[in-house]
Each structure stands twice: as C-alpha cells, then as structure tokens.
Amino acid sequence: IRLYVLIAPDSHSIYPENLPDHLQPSPNPSRLDVLRQAMASTTVPFLDIRDTLRSAKTDYVVYNQTDTHWNDYGMLIGCASLLNRIQTDFPQLPPVRRADYSVDQQAGIGGDLTTMLTVQQQHKDNTFYVITPAPALRSRQTATVPNPVSGFPSRRFVRQDSIHSDQSLPRLLFIGDSFSHSMTQFMPGYFRESYFVRASTLDPALLRSEKPDVVVV
C-alpha cells in the first residue's frame, strides 16, 4: 500500500495580500514549514501545494471569498497535484489534463463565513465555479456509510463506466477533513474504486478491511 500526505493550506497562506494590516504573516517559519522540513527526512510522499496554488491564482480565483475552504478550481489544482504524484508510482492512472475539464464561473451563495456572521443573504460569492470532467473521468457514488465518529458519512465511488473500467487501476482510500469533501468530484474518476472517510486518524483496521492500493491522508 502506498501512502501519500497532502496538506490543503488555509486561504491566508495563498492570499496574504488580503490580510488586514494588523494581521501580517510572520517572518518565522510556519507550522507547515516546520512539518515540511521534518517530513523531508522520511520516505513518505508529502505534498505541500502552496506554491502551485499561488501560481494558479493568476488564472482563476482558487479560494472562496466568503468561505474558509478552497473553491472548486483550487480543489481541482489540489487534485491534479496529488494525482500527478501518485502517477509516478502508478503510471496506469489516466493522464491529468486541463483540457479534460470545462470551467464555468457562476454566481454562488455565501459560504460558511457569511453563515457565521448571519449575513448570507446580503453577501454572495463571485468565485463560484462549475467544473465538469470529461465523460471518461466521471464517477458515481455507490454507497453511503454512517460514520458516528465524525458525524459525516463515508462514501464509496466507482468510475462511471465501471463495467468497462480498467481493472489495472488502483483502489483508493482517502482519509480527509472538510477540504477533501469536494475532492470526490474528481479523484474517483482516476481509480477503479474509491472510499472517502472523514476522520482525523488513520485506523489500521480500516486498512485491513479495505485493502486499498493507495492511501491518501
């Protein structure tokens, strides 16, 4: 089983220019900087995609303006970075190509920040994208599994055309937080089967029962 660790960064590390004057970034190493340095001494593939997201923001907005999470375009960039790294170990994965996705900008509703401020009716989000993958990369959800620990159900996916799906493709187990919730739109299209679990720990019993080829935390 191959393990990969991906960090979805908070928005202020991608858009420091939008911080108020009294909350400027510290010149000292961040906690992610310290973790990245520590992980460099291990053999675990560790993906710090801050620079990739900063480059991508010149083309599209990559984080919601009224929410604490990345938007679908930022999430697509995160998926592509992760898939490209996994593909170095599993070359049978379909290639990750920007041409396989159509991106349409639409007016969105306010996010969790406006909800916490109770101003969701007054403030809409203009960084909402509808992203559609090519038919060959679409997936379908096959099961919802109750998860009393996190309160968020786990979800199973297969490639949309599972009957003719390439059986050489690996099986994915994805352990994530709220940033990973939207990644179910794109990640399952590259794997034979996928299982997404909202959790803060990696349960060895889950590995034994699922027998995945790829584990992402």
Side-chain angles (χ1 to χ4, degrees):
I1 301 174
R2 300 302 298 263
L3 172 66
Y4 305 84
V5 177
L6 169 71
I7 301 294
D10 286 322
S11 59
H12 61 263
S13 64
I14 307 303
Y15 289 97
E17 66 272 18
N18 292 339
L19 287 169
D21 291 341
H22 66 283
L23 288 177
Q24 291 304 298
S26 169
N28 299 319
S30 68
R31 288 177 293 178
L32 180 50
D33 294 330
V34 174
L35 177 60
R36 178 177 181 170
Q37 183 177 5
M39 292 296 292
S41 63
T42 75
T43 59
V44 177
F46 180 78
L47 286 83
D48 173 9
I49 59 174
R50 288 175 293 180
D51 288 342
T52 304
L53 286 165
R54 289 169 187 146
S55 297
K57 76 179 188 180
T58 60
D59 299 319
Y60 292 90
V61 178
V62 294
Y63 277 70
N64 293 307
Q65 292 180 320
T66 64
D67 195 280
T68 51
H69 300 88
W70 49 19
N71 60 20
D72 280 8
Y73 190 79
M75 179 266 297
L76 177 61
I77 296 299
C79 287
S81 299
L82 176 58
L83 288 164
N84 283 329
R85 177 59 186 86
I86 296 174
Q87 196 174 48
T88 63
D89 300 315
F90 295 88
Q92 67 268 40
L93 260 64
V96 183
R97 300 177 299 200
R98 172 63 179 82
D100 286 330
Y101 296 89
S102 64
V103 180
D104 297 309
Q105 185 171 356
Q106 299 182 6
I109 60 175
D112 60 2
L113 293 174
T114 61
T115 301
M116 287 185 277
L117 292 167
T118 66
V119 293
Q120 60 268 36
Q121 297 303 318
Q122 299 97 299
H123 294 276
K124 306 301 181 181
D125 201 320
N126 62 356
T127 58
F128 183 77
Y129 299 105
V130 174
I131 302 179
T132 305
L137 295 175
R138 294 174 190 173
S139 62
R140 56 186 176 88
Q141 184 172 327
T142 59
T144 300
V145 182
N147 185 345
V149 176
S150 69
F152 296 93
S154 303
R155 296 180 291 167
R156 295 189 183 279
F157 296 84
V158 296
R159 285 166 62 89
Q160 185 160 285
D161 188 10
S162 58
I163 296 177
H164 301 98
S165 181
D166 187 348
Q167 295 301 304
S168 71
L169 293 177
R171 298 178 71 244
L172 169 68
L173 172 62
F174 201 118
I175 309 296
D177 60 8
S178 56
F179 274 82
S180 69
H181 181 79
S182 59
M183 297 176 77
T184 58
Q185 296 180 66
F186 306 136
M187 290 292 295
Y190 292 83
F191 295 87
R192 187 170 79 253
E193 301 173 16
S194 303
Y195 189 37
F196 282 74
V197 178
R198 288 280 289 272
S200 57
T201 58
L202 180 56
D203 184 359
L206 184 62
L207 293 178
R208 290 192 291 269
S209 63
E210 291 297 318
K211 298 181 176 61
D213 303 297
V214 173
V215 173
V216 174
V217 177

